[in-house]
Amino acid sequence: MALSDCRIVGFPKIEDPRGNLTFIEGGNHLDYDIKRVYYIYDVPGGAARGGHAHRETQELLVAMSGSFDVVLFDGNVEQKFHLNRSHYGLYVPAMTWRHLENFSSGSVCMVLASLPYDEADYYRELDEFLVAAKAPAASQSVANRLAA
Ligand code: TYD
């Protein structure tokens, strides 16, 4: 999948003096039905997550609290996104390598996934992903940077 298919998506924000409200409807605000929700939290300072790609699963990443960076890599092009608002999400199509880093203290990353968890859906080795993506082999420095 080309990196150009990755994008920041905005969601409705109902502003209210009692506090704001945002909602996300699968099949409406997202092109897919949401089959799984998971979240990453209590991330120690300096830790990284991700370091893999999915064969089929599409995901939307939302910074529910705090902030973090998401580095996406389609095998050719790499782009870093900074997430820090809970009414925006980053859409990550299948066949996109992701690396999450620079988590602020207390940050929470919520992920809305198009499929249930299946370890067979993962590429956990960058070399294997690059072959499947018909991309050139990565240098050791790129591989080190994109590992979790
Ligand atoms: P992983 O997807 O590698 O984490 P990251 O968010 O850093 O990409 O998952 C870490 C572990 O959690 C791994 O052993 C698989 C397990 N896991 C589940 O059991 N269900 C899930 O929905 C997810 C996302 C992970």
Side-chain angles (χ1 to χ4, degrees):
M1 187 58 74
L3 202 63
S4 53
D5 294 310
C6 305
R7 60 185 182 275
I8 296 286
V9 185
F11 300 107
K13 181 181 180 188
I14 312 293
E15 298 200 24
D16 191 304
R18 301 170 300 161
N20 300 328
L21 183 154
T22 286
F23 57 96
I24 304 172
E25 297 173 348
N28 181 4
H29 303 105
L30 297 176
D31 290 339
Y32 57 86
D33 288 331
I34 299 163
K35 295 281 172 49
R36 175 168 51 114
V37 178
Y38 66 92
Y39 25 96
I40 297 169
Y41 54 99
D42 291 347
V43 179
R49 301 288 317 212
H52 56 72
H54 290 286
R55 288 172 160 81
E56 299 284 343
T57 305
Q58 307 169 66
E59 295 190 326
L60 181 96
L61 280 59
V62 182
M64 297 302 285
S65 179
S67 65
F68 50 87
D69 294 333
V70 185
V71 182
L72 299 181
F73 182 50
D74 63 7
N76 290 294
V77 182
E78 184 180 325
Q79 189 173 355
K80 182 183 285 193
F81 296 85
H82 183 65
L83 297 185
N84 64 352
R85 293 276 182 275
S86 53
H87 61 286
Y88 286 101
L90 175 62
Y91 170 68
V92 182
M95 294 300 291
T96 309
W97 193 270
R98 84 288 314 274
H99 167 87
L100 282 65
E101 63 185 12
N102 197 24
F103 286 86
S104 70
S105 169
S107 56
V108 179
C109 172
M110 180 183 71
V111 182
L112 308 180
S114 64
L115 291 171
Y117 171 73
D118 179 2
E119 186 60 34
D121 185 57
Y122 281 75
Y123 289 106
R124 291 199 181 272
E125 300 298 329
L126 183 60
D127 289 348
E128 189 193 359
F129 166 69
L130 293 176
V131 169
K134 298 181 172 53
S139 67
Q140 195 56 51
S141 65
V142 169
N144 290 345
R145 201 173 62 245
L146 293 175

